[in-house]
Amino acid sequence: MDWNAPLDNYCERVAPGLWGEPLNAVSNAGFIIAAFVLWWLMRRRSAPASLHTLAALLLLIGLGSLAFHTFANGWSVLLDVGFIALFIHFYVVCFLHWFWGLDWKWAWLGVPAYLVIGQLISLTLGRLVGGGGGQYLPALITMIVFAVALGLHRDPSLRPYRKWFSLTAGLFAVSLFLRTVDGPVCGQFVIGTHFLWHLCNAGVLFLVAYALLLRWREVNERRTLQ
């Protein structure tokens, strides 16, 4: 495989070159801004390393996607999808620890569980989502499962987060739709819709990370009072 061979995956790109996808490239600023806002909020509250790691992964998502939408080749697409995968899997671990109260050693079991369940979802339902979006369908379904689980949890302090994750899942569904229609609408909307996927996703990732920050603060305050 030629890792430097040019790729043409999205509507906006009509020729090779660093600025073949200007909106798709610039819209990655959403991820970068979201990461620095999270760091600012976390510094004010002295958040733990796990949450700082999520902010770092959010920054790397922006940089990896920027690399892909400028260089648009084999090695840059690995950066693009790789950092997203790392964020998703590490978020599952953090969710199980901060929301479900599992020790870290048990929370890490969420990674192989997500890999297996996610693969099953992609193989069975992923074909329903075009534009390469099927690989992100497991993340949407997981977000919905999180919302339902939090609403049913016996701890009343967790139930308000049901609406948080439900609304975030709704935003992610819109985001996934925008990714899916990038190709079909290309003839009528020549710049495509992929840049809107970036902007919506920046909001989604910020919101789910901020939910963890709020939950950590609740847990930390509860421990302080004991």
Side-chain angles (χ1 to χ4, degrees):
M1 176 179 179
D2 183 359
W3 293 98
N4 290 306
L7 299 175
D8 182 7
N9 292 1
Y10 301 105
C11 175
E12 189 182 17
R13 181 170 290 279
V14 294
L18 289 178
W19 286 105
E21 301 175 56
L23 284 177
N24 287 350
V26 172
S27 56
N28 286 296
F31 297 109
I32 296 170
I33 292 170
F36 281 104
V37 171
L38 274 174
W39 264 318
W40 179 72
L41 293 170
M42 290 176 184
R43 286 188 62 185
R44 292 180 61 197
R45 297 187 172 97
S46 301
S50 58
L51 301 188
H52 282 278
T53 300
L54 278 177
L57 288 173
L58 181 50
L59 174 63
L60 290 172
I61 287 172
L63 296 177
S65 183
L66 175 62
F68 177 50
H69 291 290
T70 49
F71 293 97
N73 53 24
W75 63 262
S76 58
V77 75
L78 288 180
L79 293 180
D80 182 33
V81 299
F83 289 130
I84 294 173
L86 285 174
F87 183 98
I88 292 172
H89 289 86
F90 187 60
Y91 189 88
V92 170
V93 175
C94 291
F95 179 91
L96 292 174
H97 177 75
W98 292 113
F99 278 101
W100 230 245
L102 296 184
D103 289 337
W104 286 111
K105 62 182 178 181
W106 299 116
W108 278 101
L109 294 177
V111 173
Y114 180 85
L115 283 170
V116 172
I117 296 171
Q119 189 67 16
L120 289 174
I121 293 172
S122 295
L123 290 174
T124 55
L125 301 176
R127 67 189 67 181
L128 301 176
V129 183
Q135 62 185 315
Y136 299 108
L137 189 59
L140 174 60
I141 293 176
T142 299
M143 206 176 298
I144 296 171
V145 170
F146 284 172
V148 173
L150 290 169
L152 297 176
H153 201 281
R154 62 183 180 182
D155 184 350
S157 69
L158 291 176
R159 292 172 193 160
Y161 289 99
R162 174 187 58 185
K163 291 183 179 179
W164 187 289
F165 279 90
S166 297
L167 292 173
T168 306
L171 177 59
F172 188 55
V174 171
S175 180
L176 197 54
F177 171 77
L178 291 168
R179 178 190 175 93
T180 301
V181 300
D182 180 70
V185 304
C186 195
Q188 295 75 38
F189 193 57
V190 293
I191 60 175
T193 57
H194 193 76
F195 73 99
L196 296 173
W197 151 267
H198 288 165
L199 296 176
C200 288
N201 265 7
V204 168
L205 299 185
F206 175 84
L207 289 172
V208 295
Y210 187 62
L212 279 177
L213 178 61
L214 294 177
R215 180 57 184 170
W216 165 79
R217 185 174 62 177
E218 289 177 357
V219 172
N220 192 51
E221 289 175 353
R222 190 178 301 175
R223 289 172 178 170
T224 303
L225 293 175
Q226 290 178 348

